[in-house]
Amino acid sequence: MPAFSLEPDQLAWCAELRRQAAERLRPLAEKGEPGQVNRPLVAELGALGLLPRLFTSGALDLCLMRESLAYACTEAETALALQGLGAHPVHAHGTPEQRAHWLPRVGEGRAVAAFALSEPGAGSDAAALTLTAEPDGPSGWRLTGEKCWISNAPDADFYTVFARTTPGAGSRGVTAFLVPADRPGLTGTPLDMLSPHPIGTLDFDAVPVTTADLLGEPDRGFRVAMGTLNLFRPSVGAFAVGMAQAALDATLAHTAQRDAFGGKLRDLQSVSHQVAELALRTEAARLMVYAAATAYDEGAPDVPRRSAMAKLLATETAQYVVDQAVQLHGARALRRGHLLEHLYREVRAPRIYEGASEVQRGIIAKELYKELYKEPHAGPEADA
Ligand SMILES: Cc1cc2nc3c(=O)[nH]c(=O)nc-3n(C[C@H](O)[C@H](O)[C@H](O)COP(=O)(O)OP(=O)(O)OC[C@H]3O[C@@H](n4cnc5c(N)ncnc54)[C@H](O)[C@@H]3O)c2cc1C
């Protein structure tokens, strides 16, 4: 295993994905309505064979897909990622019937998936969720409560919903359910957000579910959520790296041709050094994302720490790179419709969702101290 460079066939695949994103997905993304699921775009992701790969690829391939699509079409990237986030629990924990019904439809882009964990009172502290699953007969429950900030809501065709089955039990009393959008009592409202993909709230008014809708075992749903997030966290970093690379390439091209002070912008050393800094940080983030994804694929024991590091570094780096790219472009970057104006809006949310940056630091610190107390300490003072 290289430490770390991609194989020629992986590089060729990334180039092909960037081409498909630019030529086949970008035109469809441009026709989408703000705040609504772009179904032709999702269907094209299926026709290109990318959605089925969500269930056959490892974490590194997922990162390569997300990075390459993000480079040329963030809307396509996000549509792909959300299909994965919403449907991965079905792939990993669903019954044969759930898998047979939903996964082919998700893979063909005919069914839109969503992952419904967050609530008004439970974001970073997801184990505090209160959407209640009240027993209803011998093999059923009624779901009552609210979810918010749910990507693809309320347009999705089904939701992976995390509900409280045991009050007061924190993360141990949460159960995952697959809830089709047409269940009675389920409604939702779109939210207007500084993030180009559709997001909304979901209201559950005694929505009926049964054991046939379970994803995994009752009271074990938090593991379903965390297992999904461990897989997707490095790939959020990959999304960020794709955006950073797009901003960097645009800045290279702009500074090379922009006339200023009798030369080109790049002739100013402070400009060219800043471009070098952007390239340096983007590459460092990329390497950490690839390494974390590879650790996941190899079943390494330190996946939570590495996933958290990759997501944290890449999303913070992309914010810096896009902001500096705007600076080096000047006013034109802020014009509505400019690539950087779009990236400036896209790059902000990943520092908050799937665990805010501060939450990632918490995970890293927890894992470090866990290691310290697990093994006999062999640090410098042990030698003294
Ligand atoms: C664009 C977008 C899409 C989203 N899509 C989905 C989705 O599809 N499904 C879903 O379930 N949710 C989704 N979310 C919700 C997202 O997961 C939550 O916003 C996130 O978990 C943070 O929760 P919160 O917004 O309630 O912030 P809070 O939990 O209230 O935290 C606010 C801030 O407090 C600080 N903070 C919080 N905890 C800690 C800590 N432990 N240590 C130090 N500082 C801390 C951080 O700065 C944090 O940003 C989405 C959010 C956005 C913005």
Side-chain angles (χ1 to χ4, degrees):
M1 174 54 64
F4 204 113
S5 62
L6 296 177
E7 302 290 348
D9 58 331
Q10 290 172 310
L11 290 169
W13 186 46
C14 291
E16 172 63 8
L17 286 166
R18 285 198 298 270
R19 190 192 63 74
Q20 289 174 340
E23 292 175 10
R24 291 185 59 176
L25 298 166
R26 173 90 260 135
L28 293 169
E30 281 167 6
K31 289 187 197 139
E33 289 295 319
Q36 283 177 21
V37 171
N38 184 333
R39 286 184 181 259
L41 180 65
V42 178
E44 187 65 8
L45 284 165
L48 289 169
L50 301 181
L51 295 176
R53 288 197 72 135
L54 287 167
F55 309 119
T56 55
S57 298
L60 181 59
D61 278 359
L62 177 62
C63 286
L64 298 183
M65 275 200 286
R66 293 192 68 174
E67 180 189 339
S68 306
L69 293 182
Y71 182 80
C73 182
T74 60
E75 295 90 340
E77 187 287 331
T78 306
L80 174 104
L82 293 176
Q83 289 290 85
L85 195 64
H88 181 264
V90 183
H91 171 67
H93 303 278
T95 63
E97 292 76 19
Q98 287 169 329
R99 290 166 55 94
H101 182 80
W102 288 108
L103 296 182
R105 289 168 168 80
V106 170
E108 288 163 19
R110 283 188 292 127
V112 171
F115 181 88
L117 178 65
S118 303
E119 298 180 3
S124 304
D125 186 8
L129 66 85
T130 60
L131 185 124
T132 309
E134 188 115 32
D136 182 34
S139 60
W141 295 263
R142 293 266 174 182
L143 303 182
T144 302
E146 192 186 341
K147 294 287 180 188
C148 69
W149 322 122
I150 307 306
S151 301
N152 278 349
D155 283 359
D157 296 305
F158 73 93
Y159 299 91
T160 292
V161 177
F162 298 89
R164 177 150 307 286
T165 28
T166 304
S171 62
R172 292 194 180 83
V174 171
T175 300
F177 295 96
L178 191 165
V179 183
D182 58 3
R183 280 290 156 90
L186 177 57
T187 53
T189 313
L191 295 168
D192 188 5
M193 307 277 291
L194 180 77
S195 180
H197 72 269
I199 302 175
T201 60
L202 292 174
D203 283 294
F204 293 77
D205 182 9
V207 174
V209 286
T210 70
T211 47
D213 300 312
L214 283 172
L215 290 170
E217 293 170 40
D219 282 347
R220 303 290 287 266
F222 211 69
R223 285 176 178 219
V224 176
M226 293 306 126
T228 305
L229 293 177
N230 271 342
L231 168 61
F232 276 83
R233 256 178 204 143
S235 77
V236 177
F239 170 36
V241 168
M243 289 191 280
Q245 189 66 50
L248 170 63
D249 287 357
T251 305
L252 261 177
H254 177 72
T255 53
Q257 59 78 28
R258 170 72 174 158
D259 293 318
F261 303 101
K264 301 293 179 189
L265 263 186
R266 68 152 192 228
D267 300 332
L268 301 171
Q269 196 181 51
S270 65
V271 169
S272 62
H273 282 196
Q274 181 59 2
V275 171
E277 182 70 22
L278 302 186
L280 173 81
R281 294 192 191 199
T282 302
E283 186 64 8
R286 176 182 287 114
L287 291 176
M288 189 169 268
V289 165
Y290 290 176
T294 303
Y296 183 97
D297 287 339
E298 291 177 348
D302 53 358
V303 166
R305 175 176 61 82
R306 299 182 77 157
S307 292
M309 284 182 169
K311 196 234 170 206
L312 172 62
L313 182 75
T315 56
E316 295 286 336
T317 296
Q319 179 83 55
Y320 176 81
V321 170
V322 170
D323 182 63
Q324 291 302 311
V326 169
Q327 194 68 18
L328 290 174
H329 275 74
R332 59 194 48 75
L334 298 181
R335 192 151 178 217
R336 183 102 29 215
H338 191 280
L339 169 72
L340 287 167
E341 178 268 337
H342 173 76
L343 292 177
Y344 198 71
R345 287 184 285 120
E346 279 276 22
V347 82
R348 189 61 186 86
R351 290 170 60 211
I352 295 175
Y353 63 60
E354 293 187 41
S357 293
E358 294 82 355
V359 170
Q360 307 303 335
R361 286 193 186 89
I363 294 171
I364 295 164
K366 190 173 128 209
E367 294 293 319
L368 287 173
Y369 286 114
K370 203 160 82 184
E371 278 299 306
L372 180 70
Y373 292 119
K374 201 169 75 187
E375 293 184 3
H377 187 39
E381 67 271 39
D383 301 332

